[in-house]
Amino acid sequence: MTVLGTLVDIPTADGTADAYLAHPDDDRPHPGVLLYQDAFGLRPHLKSMADRIAEAGYTVLVPNLYYRSGRAPLVELPELIDIEQCGEIFAQLGPLLGPARDPQIAARDAGAFLAWFAGSPLVQDGPIGATGYCLGAYLALSTAAAHPDRIAAVGAFHGGHLATDRPDSPHLGAGRVTAELYFGHADQDESMPPEQIARLDEALTAAGVRYRAELYEGAGHGFTQADTTRYDAVGDARHWSALFDLLKRNLPA
């Protein structure tokens, strides 16, 4: 299937968010998928991921969550990001991450993105899916709780800090979630240790949420991101299979 990729602007309460849009080139509406970035932001690798989902028959939006500071890219990245040697990059990303992770700001942004889906002729009527990576997994889960009537499925991969002791931890919104959830946890991930995985499972089970959580053995935080040194090809292939199974069950293309 031929895919078209373009840049779009989305009005928000705080300005205009630039975003990458990928969709089948057939002039027909398709189920929508909101793809949330990791900390490194909107870049060629995330665009290629959006294209792959669009090839399966979906209209995919990847917003620049750092739009308050400018259009993407805001930080110059190498072709291969060495996670162990990127202190300077993280120093630049630090000020951008705060607003993106703020629950109130994230909920406002999600509302704007969902409004764009609702108004686009490229998107079928009805709920959409969301998938997120690292930071994006945190936001995808938060969006499912903040907008339960709009999110039918969430794929969350190597997410961090999903079930902390903080009063705004996303696992505390489990009772509002109506979507089916899938979690692909990296077992070498200090940001999502076993106690948080257990706390997340307990919250979802108690709330009666439909979900599946799997531990990707030997995988580190960021294992799906092929432009970083944490990339794991086996884990990435497994992630694609799980994501497409989830989307097909809830949003058949």
Side-chain angles (χ1 to χ4, degrees):
M1 180 180 292
T2 303
V3 167
L4 287 181
T6 58
L7 296 178
V8 297
D9 287 339
I10 301 172
T12 76
D14 299 328
T16 300
D18 52 308
Y20 179 72
L21 172 67
H23 60 91
D25 184 16
D26 59 6
D27 295 322
R28 295 170 50 199
H30 294 270
V33 175
L34 175 59
L35 194 163
Y36 277 119
Q37 66 177 59
D38 62 358
F40 293 113
L42 179 57
R43 61 193 191 281
H45 175 61
L46 289 187
K47 293 178 181 179
S48 70
M49 296 181 77
D51 289 347
R52 183 165 177 174
I53 298 172
E55 286 175 358
Y58 297 91
T59 295
V60 188
L61 187 71
V62 192
N64 166 27
L65 301 180
Y66 303 149
Y67 70 88
R68 291 171 183 81
S69 298
R71 300 180 72 86
L74 280 86
V75 175
E76 184 175 352
L77 299 171
E79 288 188 15
L80 181 65
I81 303 167
D82 186 341
I83 302 298
E84 311 306 326
Q85 303 293 328
C86 63
E88 183 177 338
I89 293 174
F90 279 122
Q92 297 176 68
L93 291 172
L96 307 177
L97 285 167
R101 286 182 60 91
D102 182 279
Q104 293 185 341
I105 291 176
R108 285 204 308 269
D109 281 353
F113 305 148
L114 294 173
W116 182 91
F117 277 105
S120 172
L122 298 172
V123 182
Q124 286 183 1
D125 293 338
I128 69 166
T131 185
Y133 302 85
C134 305
L135 163 69
Y138 177 102
L139 295 174
L141 178 57
S142 298
T143 298
H147 302 276
D149 59 323
R150 298 288 289 119
I151 305 296
V154 169
F157 299 92
H158 45 79
H161 312 293
L162 301 182
T164 68
D165 294 327
R166 291 175 55 91
D168 58 2
S169 178
H171 80 287
L172 297 175
R176 299 188 298 274
V177 172
T178 59
E180 180 183 352
L181 312 180
Y182 175 89
F183 297 92
H185 299 299
D187 76 341
Q188 306 295 314
D189 189 348
E190 294 181 356
S191 69
M192 195 63 189
E195 57 269 24
Q196 284 198 45
I197 293 176
R199 186 180 295 139
L200 177 62
D201 287 346
E202 291 171 3
L204 295 172
T205 299
V209 177
R210 294 172 298 141
Y211 82 98
R212 181 179 179 187
E214 296 185 319
L215 194 65
Y216 286 46
E217 295 182 0
H221 186 75
F223 65 82
T224 64
Q225 303 302 295
D227 60 350
T228 79
T229 53
R230 292 278 176 85
Y231 179 66
D232 180 86
V234 174
D236 184 37
R238 182 179 172 187
H239 129 265
W240 281 117
S241 178
L243 177 60
F244 284 129
D245 284 348
L246 175 74
L247 294 177
K248 288 176 183 177
R249 282 195 302 273
N250 294 277
L251 297 162

